[in-house]
Amino acid sequence: KAGVTQTPRYLIKTRGQQVTLSCSPISGHRSVSWYQQTPGQGLQFLFEYFSETQRNKGNFPGRFSGRQFSNSRSEMNVSTLELGDSALYLCASSLPRDSGNTIYFGEGSWLTVV
Amino acid sequence: AQSVAQPEDQVNVAEGNPLTVKCTYSVSGNPYLFWYVQYPNRGLQFLLKYITGDNLVKGSYGFEAEFNKSQTSFHLKKPSALVSDSALYFCAVRDANNAGNMLTFGGGTRLMVKP
């Protein structure tokens, strides 16, 4: 069974540009979440999508957005990139919420903003 | 609001010795607790979780964790450390009473196992 797949794995962008990251969840998983990991702030929740609807949102500016498609695949977009957006972006998937379903993470997308 | 504290940035242990990585949490409802491990330049790998039932939870690679409700703790343990256990460990909590799968993570503890 394939795990959570994230593309691209590595990318470099210039300040002011925008970036789109993609995530394919584990087959059958309909909940997809995104997290940002930085040395200074650690792991922070960005947002969660379930059945193409955003269900939860973290404390990030509106430049960070996402969406989920009918096949549960998800994308996140960051517009007007800032140096501080350099981070590892992790996607996670899980079965619909029940009594403690496990949340599985992908290998992440490393974003460097120069 | 929910929060997780991992009081030690780094834990050093000799190979073959027992290890403990500490975690305390705060959540308004019932907690779902998780441990993840991260190797260099990799994503998070699930180790174990506590949902309900037995306070001692066994997970992957010989790791276990003990849920202590009165102390709001969920410490990760292993009877005999291996050099290959050296990695970054994260404790996470989710409020069982809230819809969705939002995890709140601790700051991480780097485990160094020396031969």
Side-chain angles (χ1 to χ4, degrees):
Chain A
K1 194 173 188 179
V4 179
T5 304
Q6 293 187 242
T7 56
R9 289 294 317 280
Y10 304 92
L11 65 166
I12 300 174
K13 291 287 186 179
T14 304
R15 274 182 300 174
Q17 287 186 316
Q18 72 164 8
V19 65
T20 298
L21 308 178
S22 180
C23 173
S24 294
I26 294 171
S27 178
H29 287 193
R30 292 165 57 196
S31 168
V32 175
S33 304
W34 289 88
Y35 292 80
Q36 182 196 64
Q37 184 178 19
T38 60
Q41 299 299 317
L43 278 157
Q44 293 185 287
F45 172 78
L46 280 158
F47 27 66
E48 179 200 4
Y49 287 87
F50 175 70
S51 293
E52 303 178 63
T53 301
Q54 188 179 86
R55 183 157 65 174
N56 285 295
K57 187 177 189 306
N59 189 26
F60 278 83
R63 299 185 297 108
F64 292 81
S65 63
R67 59 177 174 169
Q68 186 180 33
F69 302 95
S70 58
N71 62 358
S72 294
R73 192 176 69 84
S74 176
E75 290 181 346
M76 68 162 284
N77 183 278
V78 187
S79 63
T80 319
L81 284 165
E82 302 176 358
L83 295 178
D85 297 332
S86 296
L88 175 64
Y89 290 88
L90 291 164
C91 173
S93 78
S94 62
L95 291 167
R97 178 178 177 272
D98 55 20
S99 55
N101 45 285
T102 300
I103 299 169
Y104 295 93
F105 285 81
E107 292 292 334
S109 291
W110 287 92
L111 170 65
T112 301
V113 182
V114 297
Chain B
Q2 53 199 46
S3 64
V4 176
Q6 293 181 242
E8 302 155 315
D9 290 337
Q10 182 162 316
V11 169
N12 298 311
V13 64
E15 187 175 32
N17 283 1
L19 69 88
T20 298
V21 182
K22 296 179 180 178
C23 170
T24 58
Y25 67 90
S26 174
V27 67
S28 56
N30 292 319
Y32 290 165
L33 294 155
F34 303 81
W35 276 102
Y36 289 87
V37 60
Q38 186 176 38
Y39 295 97
N41 301 318
R42 303 294 298 275
L44 299 180
Q45 184 174 335
F46 170 75
L47 280 179
L48 51 80
K49 66 180 178 183
Y50 171 82
I51 303 303
T52 187
D54 194 351
N55 288 343
L56 184 62
V57 178
K58 294 188 182 297
S60 306
Y61 312 117
F63 284 94
E64 59 189 28
E66 187 165 11
F67 171 65
N68 187 317
K69 187 174 183 178
S70 63
Q71 297 184 5
T72 61
S73 67
F74 189 56
H75 301 330
L76 180 70
K77 300 180 180 183
K78 187 174 182 181
S80 179
L82 300 173
V83 172
S84 57
D85 292 331
S86 299
L88 190 56
Y89 290 80
F90 290 96
C91 180
V93 69
R94 199 185 93 205
D95 189 333
N97 295 340
N98 289 343
N101 290 315
M102 184 183 84
L103 292 176
T104 298
F105 284 89
T109 298
R110 186 166 302 281
L111 174 65
M112 300 288 290
V113 182
K114 299 182 180 179

